[in-house]
Amino acid sequence: MAALPYIQLYTADYLADTAHLTTLENGAYLLLMFNYWQRGESFKAKDEQTLNKRLASVARLTINEWLEVSEQLKEFFVIIQHNDCIEWKHNRIEHDLDAVREKSIKASNAGKRSAKARSANTNNERSTDVKQTLNHTDTDTDTDIKKNNTKKTKSNNKKFNPLLAKPENVSVETWSMWVKYRSEIKKPLTETMCKQQAVDLVNCPNPDDVIKKSIACGWQGLFPNPKNNIRQFPDRKPSMQANVSNFNFEVGPNGEVKF
């Protein structure tokens, strides 16, 4: 057994048990205990004479000095006579050694189980990595497509140009004034609004006049049907009304409008 790093010395018990020992006997006893613990086994020899020589050497005493103190120290050991040897055994140290051995075995078994589990996990991870590699492109591609579609949707919403949603029966100039007016009053036209206004103006004989009147009156909506004039907000202050002549713009060859 490998040398142990420390010995469990129960000071109170030791002092109580060795109160009758001399300094020499205490020193010899401690050396025997330390050697016993470090080797992890009892003292054994084929006969008593050989054992005494060995114990004297461990206690760092001459054989005569050992024989003088051995009678006092025998009471701390269990002396067992075997067929082929004689043994000095210390019950307290054996008990502590058994506890250390049991703890060591448990730690060893736990380490083996942990190593086995790590090995199994490593094998599973490698297997999973292979499977993921086979499906990696498809998964990423699907994700990228979704992200791209989301970006395109957002991009399309941001890039919606109300000028391009002009109703067919409205002139480019008048519709451009309407788009600019709605933007200036912080009510920019949305795609849904443009579609609805195109429907409202589809049967209107003078859609340009309707739009210009809404701008001049400071209205937010279009009212092509005279029956709906109750929605024309007659109480709006003149200062809030817009002047159509303030909208200066140029129409390009492709129908684009520059203000």
Side-chain angles (χ1 to χ4, degrees), residues 71-234:
E71 293 301 320
Q72 290 291 344
L73 300 183
K74 283 181 180 180
E75 65 180 276
F76 300 104
F77 293 86
V78 176
I79 302 175
I80 305 173
Q81 185 72 49
H82 299 284
N83 294 332
D84 57 345
C85 68
I86 184 172
E87 176 185 12
W88 277 36
K89 187 175 182 179
H90 196 290
N91 288 335
R92 183 62 170 272
I93 296 177
E94 285 292 337
H95 176 271
D96 292 342
L97 285 173
D98 287 341
V100 171
R101 292 188 188 104
E102 183 179 0
K103 184 177 180 180
S104 177
I105 292 172
K106 288 182 179 179
S108 177
N109 291 337
K112 291 178 181 178
R113 289 193 297 270
S114 177
K116 186 176 180 179
R118 287 195 300 269
S119 178
N121 289 337
T122 300
N123 293 334
N124 290 337
E125 288 173 0
R126 289 176 181 173
S127 176
T128 303
D129 289 342
V130 173
K131 293 180 181 178
Q132 287 180 345
T133 301
L134 294 176
N135 298 326
H136 187 67
T137 301
D138 292 341
T139 302
D140 285 355
T141 301
D142 292 341
T143 302
D144 290 340
I145 291 174
K146 291 179 181 179
K147 290 181 179 178
N148 290 335
N149 289 339
T150 302
K151 290 181 180 178
K152 288 181 180 179
T153 302
K154 292 181 179 179
S155 177
N156 290 338
N157 290 337
K158 290 181 179 179
K159 292 182 178 180
F160 170 71
N161 187 352
L163 290 172
L164 302 179
K166 181 186 75 65
E168 293 182 359
N169 60 339
V170 177
S171 67
V172 174
E173 294 84 356
T174 302
W175 184 254
S176 298
M177 285 192 299
W178 178 240
V179 171
K180 182 179 180 181
Y181 165 72
R182 287 294 301 260
S183 177
E184 288 187 349
I185 65 173
K186 309 301 182 184
K187 299 290 183 180
L189 293 171
T190 65
E191 184 176 1
T192 302
M193 291 178 183
C194 290
K195 289 180 179 179
Q196 182 59 49
Q197 290 179 359
V199 172
D200 293 340
L201 296 172
V202 68
N203 295 320
C204 180
N206 298 303
D208 285 24
D209 291 343
V210 172
I211 292 175
K212 291 177 181 178
K213 184 175 181 179
S214 291
I215 295 175
C217 295
W219 299 338
Q220 295 182 17
L222 300 178
F223 308 100
N225 189 345
K227 295 181 180 180
N228 294 334
N229 283 345
I230 55 175
R231 299 169 58 195
Q232 294 180 1
F233 309 103

Side-chain angles (χ1 to χ4, degrees), residues 163 172 176 250-258:
L163 290 172
V172 174
S176 298
E250 296 179 2
V251 180
N254 296 322
E256 67 274 14
V257 179
K258 300 180 181 180

Side-chain angles (χ1 to χ4, degrees), residues 10 13 15-17 27 33 36 50 99 142 158 164 200 210 239:
Y10 304 89
D13 291 345
L15 292 176
D17 292 342
M33 290 174 61
Y36 195 122
T50 304
D142 292 341
K158 290 181 179 179
L164 302 179
D200 293 340
V210 172
S239 60

